[in-house]
Amino acid sequence: MKTVYLLGAGASIGNTHGKFPGIDTIFRTAKDLNILSETTKKVLPQFDDLSKYVKTIMKKNVLMKSEKINIETLMTYIDLELEASNDNSYYYDLKAKLNKIIRDVIIKSSEAYLSDNEYCEYKMLSDTLSKEDTIVTYNWDTMLDDILGRKYLINDIFNHDSYGKEKFRDNQYYNFLYDISAIALMTRGHISIDLPYRDYVNKKGYFLKQHGSIDWYYCSNKDCRAYGAIFPMDEHTTEGYFCSECHTKLEVLIVPPILNKRIRTFPTLNRIWNLSAQEISNCQRLVIWGYSFPPTDFYSKWLISKNSNSIKDLIIINPNLIRNTKKNIFRNSIFFNNIKSVLPIVNINTSYYEYFEDFINHNDINHKYGQVIF
Ligand SMILES: [Zn+2]
């Protein structure tokens, strides 16, 4: 039985007990970690332009603690500028700086968390995975990748060391690395899917990051042989990485959900989306953890809605499922209606959990609170 785990931002936040930054607290966290400024009043000179741009386009101050600056909206604005302007080197530079802030915040936040926490929800997920299960995630961080052996497996490729390769062989990250990333181009095993295609059943499980990852680098030179391929890197250098084919500086591949249509322009992301659709439509059980069905996320909702009709079991894990007042616990009807508009919950066996740990312990919301909420 194949299970697909679909993870939204809430999964990484849950994994760190709420410490990981959300989509509108990246700047606040950057300030707290001294990434953005050294004093409370002034941003570092290299982020001056970006700070001014945020002020102009979003009417917000990047150093103000109370300001919620939605990073996806900002990324979308910069992308629109790039589309609209003839001389786009200025906005290219803004984009690179914003990406750097996002990466540094995510790297520092996950390091701070991992150093004092051995056991976490992502470890629980990794322990419960079967070989054929697939993970589809919208998150850019590498906390789950690391639990699935990211560093060991990448290191093995460069150092021909076989420790990680044996320990993590055929797990979801391994299959991503050897079948989907640029590593796959070096093998002869990917010439064609066995025919006939209509009978194609995927017995492998994959790790599919739909919006890219802070450790994925790609060559943006369309004339280069390596164009569009993804190179996962285990370390983050300040100098960056350069394409071994054409020597262009490699870029980090992270895409905000609002720009999902851009995914078609990145061949590997396109492939990841097609494979995700295939995996969701062929699984018996779909677990949706920490995904909030945001109104602007049309592509993801379309992907789920279109492919989830043959699922037998559906599991939703999200603390936003309920509202907990001191007197009462009740269903969060706005969130529930969002789910209902995307998934055929009346026709399938659906269960609801507040946290991932509850799911592992078979403690659904009705059971947990001793009343029928769903
Ligand atoms: Zn290149």
Side-chain angles (χ1 to χ4, degrees):
M1 186 182 86
K2 190 191 264 291
T3 299
V4 169
Y5 292 86
L6 198 146
L7 315 186
S12 284
I13 295 172
N15 182 59
T16 58
H17 303 287
K19 290 192 190 103
F20 207 69
I23 219 63
D24 47 19
T25 53
I26 294 265
F27 274 104
R28 190 189 302 172
T29 314
K31 183 174 174 278
D32 291 344
L33 294 168
N34 295 332
I35 291 167
L36 202 57
S37 62
E38 272 160 3
T39 65
T40 46
K41 288 206 178 95
K42 236 173 145 308
V43 292
L44 291 171
Q46 66 262 41
F47 298 126
D48 232 10
D49 287 353
L50 185 62
S51 153
K52 278 182 191 144
Y53 183 71
V54 173
K55 185 95 210 156
T56 315
I57 200 91
M58 296 176 92
K59 324 285 182 262
K60 290 187 174 173
N61 180 347
V62 292
L63 292 181
M64 193 107 95
K65 244 191 137 89
S66 56
E67 299 268 54
K68 286 196 166 179
I69 299 167
N70 187 308
I71 213 82
E72 290 172 357
T73 308
L74 180 56
M75 287 171 96
T76 306
Y77 282 147
I78 297 177
D79 256 73
L80 290 173
E81 303 283 4
L82 280 168
E83 265 182 11
S85 71
N86 291 326
D87 171 28
N88 49 25
S89 60
Y90 174 77
Y91 292 108
Y92 229 76
D93 187 52
L94 281 193
K95 186 179 173 176
K97 282 171 181 168
L98 179 60
N99 279 359
K100 183 169 167 34
I101 292 173
I102 296 171
R103 269 181 65 229
D104 288 355
V105 165
I106 291 177
I107 292 164
K108 280 200 174 178
S109 307
S110 23
E111 275 169 2
Y113 177 73
L114 283 173
S115 60
D116 54 43
N117 279 282
E118 278 283 296
Y119 206 75
C120 53
E121 288 176 325
Y122 279 161
K123 182 78 173 72
M124 287 179 209
L125 170 60
S126 148
D127 289 347
T128 192
L129 287 175
S130 303
K131 272 214 163 4
E132 74 274 17
D133 293 346
T134 278
I135 300 160
V136 174
T137 172
Y138 299 122
N139 296 329
W140 296 322
D141 68 82
T142 59
M143 290 188 286
L144 182 53
D145 317 40
D146 285 337
I147 282 166
L148 295 170
R150 179 182 78 101
K151 287 195 178 187
Y152 293 109
L153 287 168
I154 294 175
N155 251 312
D156 288 348
I157 292 160
F158 297 109
N159 304 327
H160 302 287
D161 169 14
S162 61
Y163 165 76
K165 199 165 180 176
E166 289 319 310
K167 186 170 181 224
F168 299 103
R169 181 177 285 280
D170 297 335
N171 86 0
Q172 285 68 15
Y173 193 86
Y174 181 102
N175 293 335
F176 152 71
L177 202 60
Y178 284 92
D179 292 354
I180 297 172
S181 83
I183 309 296
L185 303 176
M186 295 180 237
T187 75
R188 294 187 58 200
H190 298 88
I191 297 164
S192 165
I193 290 172
D194 291 342
L195 295 172
Y197 182 69
R198 62 176 180 278
D199 294 338
Y200 172 69
V201 180
N202 184 19
K203 293 183 200 77
K204 283 187 182 179
Y206 283 105
F207 186 55
L208 304 171
K209 300 185 89 167
Q210 299 215 323
H211 292 148
S213 183
I214 52 159
D215 66 329
W216 287 5
Y217 288 80
Y218 78 102
C219 174
S220 60
N221 171 10
K222 285 200 168 141
D223 299 321
C224 175
R225 199 164 71 109
Y227 170 69
I230 288 172
F231 299 88
M233 297 294 185
D234 65 331
E235 298 296 337
H236 303 284
T237 69
T238 39
E239 307 95 73
Y241 291 98
F242 292 83
C243 177
S244 63
E245 289 283 335
C246 71
H247 295 256
T248 299
K249 190 170 185 185
L250 297 178
E251 289 175 41
V252 173
L253 183 53
I254 52 176
V255 185
I258 309 164
L259 293 177
N260 273 335
K261 65 177 187 322
R262 283 283 168 79
I263 276 159
R264 303 279 168 203
T265 62
F266 300 105
T268 310
L269 282 188
N270 195 13
R271 190 171 155 212
I272 285 175
W273 275 71
N274 290 341
L275 191 51
S276 301
Q278 179 76 248
E279 288 293 274
I280 294 171
S281 68
N282 285 323
C283 75
Q284 284 79 46
R285 189 168 74 145
L286 178 65
V287 178
I288 301 182
W289 174 21
Y291 179 63
S292 59
F293 303 87
T296 51
D297 203 357
F298 304 113
Y299 269 64
S300 306
K301 289 196 288 189
W302 169 73
L303 179 91
I304 300 166
S305 182
K306 195 173 158 66
N307 295 293
S308 55
N309 293 314
S310 59
I311 291 161
K312 303 222 163 44
D313 284 301
L314 175 68
I315 286 142
I316 313 271
I317 308 168
N318 205 311
N320 294 329
L321 280 164
I322 50 169
R323 289 194 182 284
N324 200 340
T325 65
K326 276 191 182 123
K327 276 190 182 160
N328 251 321
I329 290 154
F330 48 93
R331 188 193 279 189
N332 176 352
S333 54
I334 297 171
F335 186 60
F336 186 70
N337 287 336
N338 284 345
I339 298 171
K340 243 174 41 181
S341 68
V342 176
L343 289 154
I345 51 171
V346 270
N347 304 324
I348 41 182
N349 182 24
T350 310
S351 38
Y352 303 89
Y353 297 87
E354 195 175 6
Y355 298 108
F356 193 79
E357 198 175 353
D358 297 337
F359 164 63
I360 295 293
N361 297 326
H362 310 286
N363 192 14
D364 72 25
I365 287 180
N366 293 347
H367 183 259
K368 187 173 177 180
Y369 292 100
Q371 53 175 290
V372 181
I373 300 169
F374 288 98

